Amino acid sequence: MMRFLPLLAACLLTNALADPVYKCTQDGKTSYSDRPCVHGKSVELPAPVGIRPEGAESVPTRDARTLLQLEKLRIAREKEQDRSDKVDARQARAAATHRKQCARLNLRKRWAEEDVARLTGRAKVAAQRRSKRATEALAVECPA
């Protein structure tokens, strides 16, 4: 159905135009011309049925033009919505990755603190250094 919409619109938008026809009466003789009579009486004849003069626009033509504009707007809106959805999905993935990284750093910090509480001597000093580094890494990557 969507394939036929442009064809339908093109058919409705084509417009057979007619030039005005003048009936001239001069000295009892009648003639027809595309220009008004210079001398004598001239009457513009109405255009034949089905032919519209230039500039005239029918309701179906206006409706078809409006439908085309609405269709273009709908397509543009759908494209913009698709772009927006892609950006939102990308941002959601980035946020999930960041939360996962923060959880990993928080876990390393907790493990380092457990090591400090469990160890003694030189091992405790090394564990305190690791705990301090884990705390700093967490503070840099995931501020409160």
Side-chain angles (χ1 to χ4, degrees):
M1 179 64 187
M2 295 303 290
R3 285 189 245 166
F4 297 114
L5 185 62
L7 179 63
L8 175 66
C11 289
L12 289 175
L13 291 176
T14 58
N15 193 3
L17 302 175
D19 290 332
V21 176
Y22 295 94
K23 179 179 177 182
C24 298
T25 307
Q26 184 176 0
D27 298 328
K29 292 185 176 182
T30 302
S31 64
Y32 297 94
S33 174
D34 61 345
R35 294 188 187 103
C37 298
V38 178
H39 302 291
K41 181 181 173 191
S42 71
V43 176
E44 183 176 347
L45 298 176
V49 177
I51 298 176
R52 292 180 298 277
E54 188 173 345
E57 189 174 345
S58 68
V59 172
T61 304
R62 282 194 308 267
D63 289 346
R65 188 173 296 132
T66 302
L67 284 174
L68 281 175
Q69 290 172 347
L70 289 173
E71 183 67 15
K72 287 179 182 178
L73 286 173
R74 184 190 63 79
I75 290 170
R77 194 175 305 127
E78 285 178 357
K79 285 181 180 179
E80 183 59 35
Q81 184 64 37
D82 288 345
R83 282 189 216 115
S84 177
D85 290 346
K86 287 178 183 179
V87 167
D88 290 346
R90 191 177 312 124
Q91 289 175 346
R93 284 193 305 270
T97 302
H98 187 341
R99 282 192 305 273
K100 189 175 180 180
Q101 178 69 17
C102 289
R104 186 179 299 124
L105 290 172
N106 200 5
L107 189 60
R108 284 185 184 166
K109 176 186 173 240
R110 195 174 83 218
W111 288 343
E113 289 171 351
E114 288 174 0
D115 287 343
V116 168
R118 182 174 53 88
L119 296 173
T120 60
R122 296 178 111 188
K124 185 171 187 165
V125 173
Q128 286 172 336
R129 191 177 316 123
R130 282 193 302 273
S131 175
K132 182 180 175 186
R133 289 179 182 163
T135 303
E136 290 171 351
L138 181 63
V140 168
E141 289 291 325
C142 309

